[in-house]
Amino acid sequence: MTAVRVAVAFHSGFGHTARQAEAVAAGVGSVDGATAELVPLDELTDATWAALAAADAIVFGAPTYMGSPSAVFKAFAEASSKVWGADLGWRDKIAAGFTNSKAMSGDKLNSLVDFAVFAAQHGMIWVGLDIYPGWSESTASIEDLNRLGSWLGAMAQSDADLSAEKAPPATDLRTAHALGARVATITQRHLRGTLAA
Ligand SMILES: Cc1cc2nc3c(=O)[nH]c(=O)nc-3n(C[C@H](O)[C@H](O)[C@H](O)COP(=O)(O)O)c2cc1C
C-alpha cells in the first residue's frame, strides 16, 4: 500500500459535472492507500493552489461548453501559468481528465484534448482510460463501462432537461469511478518507482 493524494480539480456550472467529479473521487478512494480531494475551481484561493501543489496526481474536469472546457476552467488554466513559471511546479505529477455534456458527442473529445495539452505544458504525465469501448456491438448495453467509447479520459452525457440529481446516468458515473481508480493505481506505481530510483 502506497499513500497517494489525488486532487480532482473541476468546474460545474449546474451540478452535472460535479456528480462526475464525485464519482472520480470515489474511484480514487476505492484504492487502498489513496485519498481524493475535490477542488472546485469557481474561486481560486491560496487553498486551491495549496491543494494542487500537495497532490501526487490531478484529475481535471469541466463541462463541455461550446465545444471546449468551460470558461471557468480556462480561467483556471491561464491562472496556473504562475505554477508553470515556477520551474514547472506540477512537473511529473500524474494527470487525467473528464468531461460531461448534453450530446452523446457534443465535441467532448476536444475538451479532453485540451486537458491533455494543458497537462503536457505543465510537464505532467497523462493517464487515459484502459477500457474497450462499450455499447458498440449489437449485443452490447448502454450500461457498459465506457459506453461513449473514449480512450483519452472519462466522458459523461447529461440529458438537457434533467437536473443533476438525475444526470449523468449511473453508467457514466461508473466509468468516472473506473478512471479515478486507475489514476490512483498508476500514481502509486509512479511513486514507488520514483522512491526506488
Ligand atoms: C454555454 C453552454 C455551452 C454548451 N455547449 C455544449 C456543447 O458544446 N456540447 C454539448 O454537448 N453540450 C453543451 N452544453 C450543455 C452542457 O454541456 C450540459 O448541460 C452539461 O450537463 C452541463 O454540465 P454542468 O451542470 O456541470 O455545468 C452547453 C451548455 C452551456 C450552458
Side-chain angles (χ1 to χ4, degrees):
M1 180 191 90
T2 305
V4 294
R5 292 200 269 190
V6 180
V8 182
F10 74 101
H11 169 245
S12 178
F14 307 95
H16 302 84
T17 313
R19 297 278 316 284
Q20 199 183 12
E22 287 161 8
V24 170
V28 170
S30 72
V31 174
D32 206 16
T35 53
E37 182 175 1
L38 287 166
V39 182
L41 301 177
D42 310 74
E43 282 184 49
L44 303 176
T45 65
D46 288 348
T48 309
W49 301 111
L52 299 179
D56 303 301
I58 307 175
V59 188
F60 301 108
T64 295
Y65 287 171
M66 302 312 292
S68 65
S70 58
V72 170
F73 186 89
K74 293 296 285 180
F76 155 72
E78 290 181 19
S80 79
S81 60
K82 69 179 178 184
V83 180
W84 177 90
D87 192 25
L88 294 181
W90 294 341
R91 177 192 275 113
D92 291 350
K93 289 185 192 294
I94 298 290
F98 60 92
T99 189
N100 160 73
S101 80
K102 73 175 181 181
M104 289 296 169
S105 164
D107 296 318
K108 281 189 264 275
L109 178 61
N110 196 52
S111 296
L112 295 179
V113 170
D114 196 304
F115 294 147
V117 170
F118 172 59
Q121 289 208 352
H122 274 287
M124 302 173 83
I125 302 164
W126 187 261
V127 171
L129 272 178
D130 60 339
I131 305 168
Y132 286 118
W135 200 30
S136 52
E137 295 180 7
S138 63
T139 55
S141 163
I142 197 171
E143 299 299 331
D144 290 342
L145 273 181
N146 197 15
R147 67 163 179 140
L148 296 173
S150 173
W151 291 103
L152 201 55
M155 291 182 176
Q157 179 270 335
S158 294
D159 288 340
D161 58 340
L162 294 183
S163 69
E165 285 72 46
K166 294 182 177 166
T171 180
D172 293 342
L173 297 179
R174 283 195 293 275
T175 300
H177 188 282
L179 178 70
R182 173 166 166 78
V183 167
T185 301
I186 296 291
T187 304
Q188 288 180 324
R189 287 182 196 157
H190 178 55
L191 278 199
R192 283 200 294 268
T194 302
L195 292 172

